Amino acid sequence: MRNLIGLALLFTITACSHTATQPEQQAAANQETKVCDLPYTKFQSTVTGYCQEVAAELPKTIPSETLTLEFRPVEQIPEVFWFNQKLAYTLNQQPNSAPLAFVIAGTGAAHDSPKMKTLQKTLFSQGYHVVSLSSPTYPNYIINATTRDDMVGDLAKDAKSLYAKMSAIYEQLQSSHNVEATSFSLTGYSLGGAHSAFISQLDEEAKVFNFEKVVLINPPVSLYNSVQILDGYLDLEYNRPAAVAMVDRIFDRLAEQYALQESSELSQESIYSLFAGAKMTEQELKLLIGASFRMSSADMMFAIDATYNIGALIYKNHDISKFESITHSMHRADDITFTRYFDRHMLPWTQKLEPNVTRDDMIERLSLVAIEDYLKSAEKVTVVTNQDDIILAEGEVDYLREVFGARAQIFERGGHCGNMDRHSFVEYMRGQFVGASTL
């Protein structure tokens, strides 16, 4: 599995490369009208982005500041995370009072990941203050902002946790940065989209923010269904030799294409060229997606284990020092699918706190079905996704149409979050978040 990490990193670069890189910025005026010549598939779009449609016009740079807030005493942070001792988030502040939009990241993603930066630019250019939070599945969030009673991935508990952090962050911003919000809105992509739905419902009673607009971007309908799809793309438990051989072949072909390039810089065009030359099959693209998801889930489980002594990856009652290698733990993580995490850790943990909860109850909790009545009636909540989103099981696009009706925007193509920086998607978002455009 020597190349798995490299491939996952490459996937991260490509799948999230919609935000302008430096070479793009230098030639933005020309590139904004360009499209790639990669053959379209939903897997290609998920990996490289929906490059067959022109990019949206977004600001090249916007005011951005990374801030931190302490939720857990330093002495309670695992030593192995010595470098990560406060919850980090991003503020994009308008010069005057303005509407404020909270943005929640997708699975395993940070507040400042490339997709988050695209959303920040989209919303800031509409005149919003933007406050971006990492996913509760991101290690910095887990070790700083969860409690022993939380089980990361339980949508209702995640929402309660995020809601409390959003309130504390806004309070901090009022005193430290004089941020004045004239109204509040909320959005998030992928898992962050599902979180946004549950947070919106929570706010209906608490009314801390009284959200004006809530937009769910490419949310899973059933988290359990979605992770089963993604787990199935990388089978290391029963088919490790074949998966390893495929990883090696992909890595070798990409390395050959990279060696042929005139520049060592990974610009948007050079990445498209790499993938065009490598001529990946559907199975290979699935493996890339599965490897990226597995790396995210491994990071999540390691952070949970280090913080709460679960014994999933780290030996029980063993505190990893900041000088100790964690390679052995990451090797153990290779084989642990999210489905196994659900059955061996998430469900038993929940049943200790709530003995009457069954496996089927838990699966329904991890879905939009659990708050279906609210979503049908909440006019402020809209959903945007793609007809070929790979995390949606058969029938789930129709489910979204049925629940949201005219409030559902379903694009024909884009895979999973592949079109978030494309012209059509950004225009849709501008129609939803109508502030005072600065473009």
Side-chain angles (χ1 to χ4, degrees):
M1 219 57 208
R2 63 184 171 88
N3 292 326
L4 179 57
I5 293 177
L7 278 175
L9 289 174
L10 179 60
F11 173 82
T12 301
I13 292 169
T14 55
C16 301
S17 61
H18 312 305
T19 301
T21 59
Q22 286 184 352
E24 279 183 314
Q25 291 172 14
Q26 293 166 3
N30 293 328
Q31 290 196 345
E32 282 167 358
T33 60
K34 287 185 176 179
V35 297
C36 70
D37 58 0
L38 288 174
Y40 178 83
T41 73
K42 58 185 178 182
F43 303 106
Q44 166 269 316
S45 183
T46 301
V47 173
T48 67
Y50 183 30
C51 52
Q52 292 82 0
E53 181 182 339
V54 295
E57 183 181 359
L58 290 171
K60 302 301 176 280
T61 60
I62 58 174
S64 183
E65 188 174 359
T66 299
L67 301 169
T68 59
L69 189 55
E70 182 177 311
F71 288 97
R72 172 173 286 157
V74 171
E75 58 270 20
Q76 293 182 16
I77 303 293
E79 184 182 344
V80 69
F81 285 107
W82 59 272
F83 54 90
N84 222 339
Q85 296 182 342
K86 289 183 179 179
L87 181 70
Y89 64 96
T90 297
L91 169 67
N92 309 108
Q93 185 176 4
Q94 299 285 348
N96 302 305
S97 60
L100 186 151
F102 287 102
V103 185
I104 311 297
T107 304
H111 59 97
D112 56 354
S113 67
K115 281 189 172 59
M116 293 293 276
K117 288 183 178 179
T118 296
L119 288 173
Q120 290 163 10
K121 290 178 179 179
T122 300
L123 296 170
F124 186 85
S125 66
Q126 290 296 98
Y128 283 76
H129 299 301
V130 186
V131 176
S132 301
L133 282 78
S134 301
S135 170
T137 60
Y138 185 64
N140 173 262
Y141 191 102
I142 293 168
I143 62 177
N144 283 287
T146 59
T147 71
R148 179 165 285 281
D149 289 341
D150 298 331
M151 176 48 78
V152 174
D154 185 324
L155 294 173
K157 290 185 176 180
D158 285 351
K160 189 175 179 181
S161 172
L162 282 163
Y163 194 63
K165 306 308 174 293
M166 290 159 58
S167 302
I169 286 171
Y170 182 59
E171 186 175 335
Q172 181 190 44
L173 292 177
Q174 285 180 297
S175 61
S176 66
H177 286 68
N178 296 316
V179 171
E180 291 185 26
T182 56
S183 65
F184 295 93
S185 291
L186 172 65
T187 188
Y189 72 87
S190 193
L191 180 60
H195 284 142
S196 297
F198 280 77
I199 292 169
S200 181
Q201 186 194 37
L202 205 57
D203 189 58
E204 296 289 355
E205 292 187 7
K207 295 193 179 301
V208 172
F209 299 112
N210 196 19
F211 293 119
E212 185 175 77
K213 192 72 187 175
V214 180
V215 177
L216 321 181
I217 302 170
N218 289 84
V221 169
S222 162
L223 189 55
Y224 186 80
N225 288 348
S226 295
V227 298
Q228 284 207 309
I229 291 170
L230 295 171
D231 277 342
Y233 291 167
L234 179 66
D235 183 1
L236 293 179
E237 186 172 8
Y238 301 108
N239 200 21
R240 175 180 285 270
V244 170
M246 186 179 290
V247 167
D248 287 343
R249 288 197 298 273
I250 295 171
F251 191 85
D252 289 343
R253 296 214 305 278
L254 288 172
E256 287 172 6
Q257 293 301 314
Y258 183 70
L260 294 174
Q261 296 201 350
E262 295 180 358
S263 170
S264 60
E265 197 156 16
L266 280 174
S267 67
Q268 187 87 68
E269 285 194 332
S270 69
I271 289 170
Y272 294 151
S273 177
L274 278 179
F275 277 81
K279 299 185 187 310
M280 290 194 189
T281 65
E282 179 176 308
Q283 196 62 31
E284 289 170 335
L285 289 168
K286 284 181 177 178
L287 185 140
L288 274 180
I289 296 166
S292 177
F293 180 69
R294 189 68 54 84
M295 292 294 290
S296 293
S297 62
D299 285 347
M300 176 192 76
M301 284 185 273
F302 181 79
I304 292 173
D305 220 354
T307 307
Y308 298 114
N309 190 27
I310 303 299
L313 305 179
I314 304 169
Y315 297 116
K316 196 87 173 174
N317 301 319
H318 174 66
D319 292 327
I320 298 182
S321 77
K322 60 184 177 182
F323 300 111
E324 184 176 339
S325 170
I326 61 171
T327 302
H328 60 291
S329 296
M330 301 315 290
H331 280 312
R332 295 176 71 187
D334 279 351
D335 293 335
I336 299 181
T337 63
F338 192 93
T339 307
R340 184 186 290 185
Y341 165 74
F342 173 85
D343 282 321
R344 295 192 181 182
H345 304 287
M346 193 171 187
L347 182 59
W349 187 321
T350 302
Q351 288 175 330
K352 278 185 182 177
L353 300 171
E354 303 171 69
N356 294 326
V357 172
T358 67
R359 190 174 190 275
D360 288 342
D361 292 338
M362 196 64 194
I363 289 173
E364 182 170 322
R365 271 193 193 188
L366 309 184
S367 73
L368 298 184
V369 175
I371 57 170
E372 180 180 303
D373 290 343
Y374 168 67
L375 294 176
K376 282 182 173 176
S377 62
E379 291 296 324
K380 72 174 71 171
V381 183
T382 61
V383 65
V384 55
T385 190
N386 301 315
Q387 181 70 38
D388 60 0
D389 190 335
I390 62 169
I391 72 164
L392 297 179
E394 185 177 355
E396 290 185 335
V397 171
D398 291 336
Y399 174 83
L400 292 174
R401 284 196 177 98
E402 179 186 335
V403 170
F404 289 90
R407 292 178 285 122
Q409 172 65 54
I410 314 293
F411 289 107
E412 183 180 352
R413 303 202 299 183
H416 184 59
C417 297
N419 54 342
M420 286 174 58
D421 70 337
R422 300 292 102 177
H423 177 77
S424 300
F425 179 90
V426 172
E427 286 304 302
Y428 167 80
M429 290 294 283
R430 285 173 174 155
Q432 298 297 308
F433 292 91
V434 182
S437 174
T438 58
L439 276 179

